[in-house]
Amino acid sequence: MAEDPVIAAWRGLLVAHSRLVPAVEGDLRAAGQVPLSWYDVLLELNGAPDRRLRMSELGQRAVLSRTRVSRVVDELVDAGLAERQPDENDGRSSFAVLTARGKDALRRAWPVYREAIHRHFGAHLTAEQSRELAALLGQAAAAAAAAGVTVASSQPQQRSY
């Protein structure tokens, strides 16, 4: 009996993730750069207006669980790469803010990260395959987002606009 192609694709995605992420992480570590989880949070902060995000928003954007994002921000604060600022309009909330040192760490890590992605992932795909895979994964991610699925939760989220 032939394997269900959807199940085969899902398994392939999980296996690739479980092998590629540690390989990229190893390259960053070997080069003395920030860990991949730090890089992800720094990247999200760098792309945000005023280089700051509410912790809740950072938890939705980062490719980490919300609990892990909070721990990573604490580690970044301890390393001087980010700051926490209270939200003056909402005492229950705070912002994570990228520091100049954090921006420098991100800039230094990028060439190593880019090369690791190309070596461990891109070297095994053609440009067309990469474009097609990006489109397919984007399509699946958009469908999950439209259903309210977030990184930190598999439960649909209520959205209010």
Side-chain angles (χ1 to χ4, degrees), residues 52-55 73 83-88 93-97:
R52 73 184 205 150
L53 288 169
R54 273 198 174 77
M55 289 298 296
V73 170
E83 298 174 346
R84 280 189 190 256
Q85 293 178 348
D87 182 348
E88 295 177 6
S93 180
S94 65
F95 291 96
V97 183

Side-chain angles (χ1 to χ4, degrees), residues 16 21 32-33 38 61 67 77 80 99 108 138-139 152 161:
V21 169
Q33 300 300 321
W38 288 23
R61 288 184 178 199
T67 303
V77 168
T99 64
R108 284 190 312 274
Q139 180 180 335
Y161 296 97

Side-chain angles (χ1 to χ4, degrees), residues 27 60 68 75 88 150:
D27 285 5
Q60 291 172 348
R68 182 71 183 125
E75 293 167 359
E88 295 177 6
T150 64

